[in-house]
Amino acid sequence: MNIRTTISPDFTVIAGPCSAESARQVMECAEKLSAMGVGILRAGVWKPRTRPGGFEGAGAPALEWLCQAREKTGMKLAVEVAGASHVEAALKAGIDILWIGARTSASPFAVEEIAQALKGNDIPVMVKNPINPDVNLWTGAIERIERAGISRISAIHRGFSDIQESVLRYAPQWEIPIELRRRMPSLPIFCDPSHMAGRRELVGTLAQMALDMNADGLFVEVHPDPEHALSDSRQQLTPDGFRAMVSSLEWRREIHDADVRNLAPSRNELDRLDAQLVELLARRMKIVQEIGEYKHLNNLAVLQSKRYQNVSDSVAKLASEKGISEKFVRSIFETIHAESIRCQLENNKTQS
Ligand code: PEP
Ligand code: MN
């Protein structure tokens, strides 16, 4: 998508209320954002709620309020669609950009229905990550939209449901957008720091992380009176709060040849260490194989849980002595152990 704002020439900022609530609220928000140079207004018209009974959006009349705001400010309009009827209504109203929400992108049936309704209309479509951390589901949703003939697709990383307690509402799990970028290098990936944060005080921190992760743009919830917002009240910024947040961001520059030269000695050192790590892993696997043979010949089970627990505890202790994360080292050894088990099971299969 090459719609840019004047905030930064090579970065797209989309902002607006979680929900369009009234003609006045939409207009006030659009006027304030537009005055700051934001070129695209987001607003939910149909709201997918996890539980029934909350505000479910103003529906079709809100499309009219948005069009009035566009008329006045010249902003482009982005709305969420969750099914064919939404697509039809949004296209009929001349909405400029559609987005697919996190609860919808998790359902291939719903995404397929939207894809079918989009056929023949080359409107920009943004696909939020599904609520569960599954990069294949996200990729699949994007592919379905691509197959409908949509040429301007971007992704929105809004974080994932997580059973672990956290100050954040949705866990960023940066490895997932990193993998999406590896799979689809030319796909712009926006970050929605509002839904990740869940509270306005944290939106700026997440937006800065997104810049550091090379996001192509931000998708931020801004409401003229967030305290009284009908949805996502805690995470929406006031227009002034949004201005302050954006102006506090540190913009990272492109990497230059000189940087590559400056970093080369450290990177070469890392390459040597990585080669040694692989060499050590290969040596380790060889010993694993010998142990596996012993177990097989002596009728012992492949999995020896007590031994694994000891290995995990002792590397975690070493990690903490060396000042690196215990959790990180345990998770590496979880992978190493899983591979050791896999190889031993594989060998037993071929020997029996
Ligand atoms: C939204 O952007 O207002 C929204 C409902 O987002 P999500 O689908 O990410 O929860
Ligand atoms: Mn919202």
Side-chain angles (χ1 to χ4, degrees):
M1 218 169 289
N2 56 6
I3 311 158
R4 303 291 183 194
T5 77
T6 54
I7 287 177
S8 168
D10 54 359
F11 193 84
T12 306
V13 178
I14 300 175
C18 177
S19 307
E21 297 169 1
S22 67
R24 225 177 112 188
Q25 172 241 21
V26 169
M27 185 63 83
E28 184 180 349
C29 204
E31 285 179 332
K32 293 193 166 151
L33 290 170
S34 157
M36 290 175 214
V38 177
I40 308 170
L41 182 71
R42 61 141 285 154
V45 167
W46 302 278
K47 299 303 296 177
R49 306 321 304 254
T50 300
R51 301 186 55 197
F55 174 61
E56 300 204 316
L63 294 170
E64 192 50 42
W65 309 333
L66 287 167
C67 291
Q68 287 161 8
R70 174 173 57 191
E71 190 89 355
K72 184 94 183 276
T73 62
M75 290 177 92
K76 303 258 183 208
L77 304 173
V79 304
E80 173 174 354
V81 289
S85 64
H86 298 165
V87 173
E88 282 150 22
L91 289 173
K92 194 157 157 243
I95 297 299
D96 304 283
I97 299 164
L98 304 179
W99 89 78
I100 297 175
R103 289 158 196 78
T104 311
S105 65
S107 161
F109 282 139
V111 176
E112 189 56 36
E113 180 187 312
I114 292 171
Q116 292 305 323
L118 282 169
K119 277 198 171 148
N121 299 283
D122 195 7
I123 182 171
V125 177
M126 310 182 80
V127 183
K128 283 199 167 194
N129 67 254
I131 203 144
N132 44 326
D134 182 339
V135 73
N136 286 326
L137 207 48
W138 199 2
T139 311
I142 293 164
E143 286 167 347
R144 283 181 198 277
I145 301 303
E146 244 171 5
R147 284 187 187 194
I150 301 297
S151 62
R152 287 164 296 169
I153 304 179
S154 49
I156 305 174
H157 172 216
R158 51 79 79 199
F160 302 89
S161 267
D162 189 358
I163 44 167
Q164 272 178 357
E165 281 280 315
S166 163
V167 287
L168 300 178
R169 183 176 177 201
Y170 292 107
Q173 302 212 8
W174 298 103
E175 67 281 8
I176 294 181
I178 290 172
E179 171 59 14
L180 184 68
R181 174 148 280 161
R182 191 191 65 75
R183 293 182 183 189
M184 301 180 158
S186 61
L187 176 81
I189 305 181
F190 283 67
C191 176
D192 171 347
S194 307
H195 285 85
M196 276 176 197
R199 36 189 171 133
R200 50 193 146 268
E201 312 83 76
L202 296 177
V203 172
T205 307
L206 285 152
Q208 182 63 57
M209 283 185 187
L211 293 195
D212 286 325
M213 298 303 284
N214 262 324
D216 295 286
L218 291 175
F219 193 83
V220 187
E221 287 192 341
V222 179
H223 190 291
D225 181 12
E227 301 285 343
H228 297 103
L230 299 179
S231 58
D232 288 350
S233 158
R234 291 190 61 200
Q235 74 195 29
Q236 300 200 65
L237 298 171
T238 59
D240 283 343
F242 171 74
R243 188 205 313 268
M245 189 277 285
V246 172
S247 54
S248 75
L249 293 176
E250 288 185 37
W251 299 84
R252 308 303 184 199
R253 61 173 175 78
E254 290 286 313
I255 191 158
H256 295 150
D257 289 350
D259 302 309
V260 175
R261 279 196 300 278
N262 292 339
L263 292 171
S266 305
R267 285 179 166 173
N268 291 340
E269 179 70 13
L270 281 187
D271 290 347
R272 275 194 294 277
L273 289 172
D274 289 345
Q276 282 175 31
L277 283 175
V278 176
E279 169 67 24
L280 286 173
L281 284 174
R283 275 166 55 192
R284 193 184 192 285
M285 285 312 286
K286 205 145 170 272
I287 297 171
V288 163
Q289 215 161 359
E290 287 163 18
I291 292 178
E293 269 159 35
Y294 178 90
K295 286 179 188 162
H296 187 67
L297 288 174
N298 293 281
N299 205 21
L300 295 172
V302 165
L303 177 63
Q304 297 290 329
S305 305
K306 230 189 231 156
R307 162 72 186 160
Y308 173 50
Q309 188 63 51
N310 290 343
V311 170
S312 180
D313 290 345
S314 64
V315 293
K317 186 164 168 278
L318 268 176
S320 106
E321 283 164 21
K322 296 278 174 199
I324 59 173
S325 155
E326 280 184 41
K327 196 170 153 214
F328 163 63
V329 170
R330 273 195 204 271
S331 87
I332 288 178
F333 275 82
E334 204 177 301
T335 309
I336 291 175
H337 181 254
E339 179 62 7
S340 305
I341 295 288
R342 191 192 65 77
C343 288
Q344 293 176 62
L345 289 175
E346 205 53 39
N347 285 348
N348 283 0
K349 210 168 69 192
T350 52
Q351 281 170 25
S352 52

